[in-house]
Amino acid sequence: MKPLFDFQFMIAIIPDVLQVVPVTLNITAVSMVLALFVGLTTALVRIYRVPLAKQLAALYISFTRGTPLLVQIYLAYYGIPKVLEYLQLNYGWNLNVNGIPAIVFIYFAFTLNVGAYLSETIRASIEAIDKGQMEAALSIGMTRLQGMRRIILPQAVAIALPSFGNTFISLIKDTSLAFMISVVEMMGQAKILGARGLQFFEVYIVVALIYWGICILVERVVAVLETRAKRFEGAKTA
């Protein structure tokens, strides 16, 4: 009787899958860092109600949260080269559209997608801080920027940390969509390996376990950071 799983095949493909784990982590890390900048900027624009920029930020968040990530990836992949080609033909811009690596479009799409969600998290965290703290900072001679950087943001980060961790884990899993535009990460590698012997079930089990292991590790790291953040908050209160 044929066994349900080919364990030898599953063990044999583990190194091949692990080989592309750095690609998955690279997409996750780069997109998360850029998204934090986008999210913070968008949140501050909305908090301080910057004219025109506030409406554009609200439109960006609404569109991003209201459309699937896969659609956004395709819009970036097919739309950006089309816009660059238009600029090249009509304005003489010297742009090598064909030389853009596919991973750049993944960075772009993931950054804007995650940035929209982080913006709401950051905005809620900043608004959760007592406004009197900023007033106190201004009263002792700090600028608004100094008060935000030294007093408000450290507390907001402590509040938002659990949400940041959840977003980071979700981003790790969402990188599986990158293969849709030929970026070979873990899921892409799984499809390639599975197609060789039509053993997709075994390959997907291996990939699922590796994803799970990475996410567990991230959860542990976030838990440690949360503990330290709570100690920081306790020290400040004392």
Side-chain angles (χ1 to χ4, degrees), residues 15-208:
D16 293 325
V17 177
L18 292 177
Q19 184 179 355
V20 294
V21 168
V23 179
T24 294
L25 297 180
N26 172 267
I27 294 172
T28 304
V30 172
S31 300
M32 188 70 180
V33 170
L34 296 176
L36 282 169
F37 174 77
V38 172
L40 177 60
T41 302
T42 308
L44 293 177
V45 163
R46 299 192 72 189
I47 289 172
Y48 291 107
R49 302 182 181 277
V50 179
L52 184 60
K54 179 188 69 173
Q55 287 82 1
L56 292 176
L59 179 64
Y60 151 64
I61 293 171
S62 176
F63 176 81
T64 303
R65 297 176 68 183
T67 55
L69 175 56
L70 183 57
V71 173
Q72 296 165 23
I73 292 172
Y74 284 143
L75 285 174
Y77 186 63
Y78 293 106
I80 293 176
K82 196 171 184 66
V83 170
L84 294 179
E85 185 178 3
Y86 173 83
L87 294 173
Q88 185 174 11
L89 292 175
N90 291 275
Y91 298 97
W93 289 24
N94 187 19
L95 302 170
N96 183 13
V97 178
N98 297 324
I100 302 176
I103 197 169
V104 171
F105 303 113
I106 290 296
Y107 291 149
F108 183 84
F110 279 36
T111 294
L112 293 184
N113 179 271
V114 176
Y117 290 94
L118 290 181
S119 173
E120 294 298 278
T121 299
I122 294 170
R123 183 168 68 94
S125 300
I126 291 176
E127 291 180 341
I129 307 300
D130 187 357
K131 294 181 179 179
Q133 296 194 36
M134 177 59 80
E135 294 173 359
L138 296 175
S139 69
I140 62 173
M142 284 189 184
T143 64
R144 190 170 293 275
L145 179 61
Q146 289 174 328
M148 179 64 69
R149 181 170 58 88
R150 297 179 182 179
I151 298 175
I152 304 300
L153 285 182
Q155 296 179 75
V157 168
I159 295 172
L161 195 55
S163 295
F164 284 172
N166 290 334
T167 301
F168 191 80
I169 289 172
S170 296
L171 182 54
I172 292 173
K173 294 180 289 185
D174 287 341
T175 58
S176 60
L177 296 173
F179 189 63
M180 301 305 294
I181 60 171
S182 303
V183 176
V184 181
E185 38 60 66
M186 283 201 294
M187 196 62 186
Q189 184 80 325
K191 291 180 180 180
I192 293 171
L193 293 171
R196 291 177 183 173
L198 298 179
Q199 293 174 291
F200 289 100
F201 188 41
E202 288 92 338
V203 172
Y204 290 149
I205 289 175
V206 171
V207 172

Side-chain angles (χ1 to χ4, degrees), residues 161 220-233:
L161 195 55
R220 297 290 176 85
V221 172
V222 172
V224 171
L225 293 176
E226 284 183 44
T227 302
R228 292 185 177 181
K230 288 177 182 177
R231 291 175 182 172
F232 171 77
E233 286 294 299

